[in-house]
Amino acid sequence: GQSLEQPSEVTAVEGAIVQINCTYQTSGFYGLSWYQQHDGGAPTFLSYNALDGLEETGRFSSFLSRSDSYGYLLLQELQMKDSASYFCALKEDSSYKLIFGSGTRLLVRP
Amino acid sequence: SQTIHQWPATLVQPVGSPLSLECTVEGTSNPNLYWYRQAAGRGLQLLFYSVGIGQISSEVPQNLSASRPQDRQFILSSKKLLLSDSGFYLCAWRHNGETQYFGPGTRLLVL
């Protein structure tokens, strides 16, 4: 089967940098996505990594190491509005189905 | 532009009653459609997946069923709700690329 592990909660200060880790176990791997979800809202797509390395989109970056079955989401210049839950999601075959992790709740403090 | 609608936004139903949640997508054709359930403070569990009209893949054995009567319509149903069916139900679509776009969700409470 497959599984993903993320820390349940992370706290950081406004303006700082925070890294949210995701480790996975799977028999097949196509890619790793990241989604953001504010309380009561719908998840929104942040990034997708299929190959090793760093993908940068503004203040957010996502990293993947397939040999380590590991990825992370890096958030820079944290803002209060970044307080939300962040989910990594595994694509393990060509079917475009995703398996979501349990999520990391990020709290940004002033 | 594409939009996705879900209704109702919230629903309170007694145990044993039927359920019908509707999801429609506008502005795209032949999308992949998904139903997820999210328990409070938890991740998203994929329930059903559809690549076309009448084509439904069930991911988890359960008390629910799904149908896709039209290209851009996806319906989640139950004949008799259980307490464990409570949760936040999210519909999503995908057309090209890796991104799934989620609807606003339906919050279901079974009492």
Side-chain angles (χ1 to χ4, degrees):
Chain A
Q2 67 288 123
S3 67
L4 298 100
E5 287 193 19
Q6 305 178 235
S8 58
E9 197 169 293
V10 172
T11 302
V13 178
E14 191 176 15
I17 299 172
V18 72
Q19 179 175 312
I20 299 173
N21 298 321
C22 174
T23 57
Y24 59 86
Q25 289 186 330
T26 180
S27 56
F29 180 85
Y30 270 60
L32 192 70
S33 295
W34 288 92
Y35 284 77
Q36 178 192 60
Q37 185 182 30
H38 287 97
D39 283 349
T44 57
F45 173 81
L46 294 176
S47 68
Y48 175 75
N49 295 70
L51 302 175
D52 291 349
L54 192 68
E55 294 279 344
E56 299 181 70
T57 309
R59 294 188 296 114
F60 293 4
S61 303
S62 57
F63 172 83
L64 176 68
S65 169
R66 289 173 295 171
S67 60
D68 295 322
S69 298
Y70 165 73
Y72 66 73
L73 181 69
L74 191 72
L75 295 83
Q76 303 182 71
E77 301 172 19
L78 280 173
Q79 302 175 9
M80 299 298 292
K81 68 178 182 180
D82 296 329
S83 291
S85 292
Y86 292 85
F87 296 89
C88 58
L90 178 68
K91 178 181 175 182
E92 61 172 3
D93 57 34
S94 61
S95 69
Y96 294 102
K97 294 185 291 184
L98 292 176
I99 299 158
F100 280 79
S102 56
T104 299
R105 190 174 182 86
L106 171 64
L107 176 62
V108 180
R109 298 184 302 172
Chain B
S1 64
Q2 300 89 1
T3 55
I4 179 169
H5 304 278
Q6 285 187 247
W7 63 91
T10 58
L11 192 58
V12 181
Q13 292 285 100
V15 169
S17 63
L19 173 75
S20 180
L21 302 181
E22 190 161 340
C23 170
T24 60
V25 182
E26 295 177 358
T28 187
S29 60
N30 197 30
N32 291 166
L33 295 173
Y34 309 83
W35 276 112
Y36 291 90
R37 177 170 58 204
Q38 185 176 33
R42 303 295 297 275
L44 284 74
Q45 180 187 37
L46 179 62
L47 302 175
F48 298 97
Y49 165 59
S50 173
V51 298
I53 296 174
Q55 300 178 65
I56 310 293
S57 173
S58 176
E59 298 300 310
V60 183
Q62 59 208 321
N63 184 42
L64 302 168
S65 62
S67 62
R68 186 170 176 175
Q70 300 179 45
D71 181 45
R72 288 169 288 178
Q73 184 185 31
F74 206 21
I75 298 172
L76 184 70
S77 303
S78 174
K79 292 181 179 178
K80 288 186 177 181
L81 282 169
L82 307 172
L83 287 174
S84 57
D85 292 325
S86 294
F88 190 37
Y89 288 83
L90 289 154
C91 180
W93 70 272
R94 187 202 71 84
H95 186 55
N96 292 318
E98 301 301 330
T99 306
Q100 290 189 17
Y101 300 92
F102 286 82
T106 294
R107 206 162 294 279
L108 172 66
L109 179 60
V110 182
L111 300 175

